[in-house]
Amino acid sequence: MSIHPQFAERILRGEKQVEFRRRPLGRLVTHIVIYATAPVCAVVGVAEIQRVERGSPTVLWHAFSSVGGIERAKFFGYFAGVLEGFAYVLERAQACESPLRLGKVGLPTRAPQAFQYIETRTLDAVLSKASPAAGTMAVAG
């Protein structure tokens, strides 16, 4: 999943325990492989998906603002014009020992626009290059 570097860092530090999206993933997934966008342009970690919540932006904000790792104005700007959004509640974030460039360990060669599905063996390869992140993630409300 493509995530801006400042938000990727917050996830790995345990400060951002929810990834907000305007659209749902089309499949049931267990992990988010965190691809930090420019200027990093690399996979920096992995987090498990504990659950997915669906609701209006206002409902999501009330439920997750304290662990969303985003300012109110940016949150509502992101969800402008959307009646419903999705909150991917994360746990057990793991940072890669060093950023993984695309094309390595089975990763795609092109950055995902928003997200891209990967094979289980690629997830396993990324996990083998990661260790528990510094922050402890408590499961959000």
Side-chain angles (χ1 to χ4, degrees):
M1 189 174 279
S2 291
I3 300 175
H4 291 288
Q6 71 269 24
F7 297 125
E9 289 175 19
R10 290 176 191 167
I11 290 170
L12 295 174
R13 287 194 310 253
E15 299 166 7
K16 180 173 174 49
Q17 299 169 19
V18 177
E19 178 59 19
F20 297 108
R21 292 289 157 149
R22 294 169 56 105
R23 294 186 189 105
L25 297 174
R27 300 181 194 169
L28 179 63
V29 296
T30 60
H31 293 76
I32 290 176
V33 174
I34 303 165
Y35 173 81
T37 60
V40 178
C41 300
V43 169
V44 296
V46 178
E48 287 184 44
I49 298 173
Q50 196 260 346
R51 70 181 189 279
V52 182
E53 297 286 333
R54 173 185 215 158
S56 71
T58 301
V59 166
L60 295 177
W61 179 255
H62 286 299
F64 299 109
S65 62
S66 65
V67 293
I70 188 171
E71 298 78 22
R72 186 180 196 285
K74 287 184 180 180
F75 174 87
F76 283 102
Y78 175 70
F79 281 111
V82 174
L83 297 176
E84 185 175 68
F86 300 85
Y88 289 83
V89 181
L90 308 175
E91 62 184 355
R92 289 189 274 283
Q94 297 181 59
C96 292
E97 295 165 1
S98 61
L100 297 172
R101 299 288 170 210
L102 294 178
K104 303 292 183 190
V105 300
L107 291 167
T109 57
R110 296 186 64 193
Q113 189 69 16
F115 63 88
Q116 183 173 349
Y117 300 104
I118 60 170
E119 306 245 346
T120 302
R121 68 175 181 261
T122 301
L123 173 61
D124 291 341
V126 172
L127 286 168
S128 76
K129 305 279 185 194
S131 59
T136 303
M137 296 183 79
V139 177

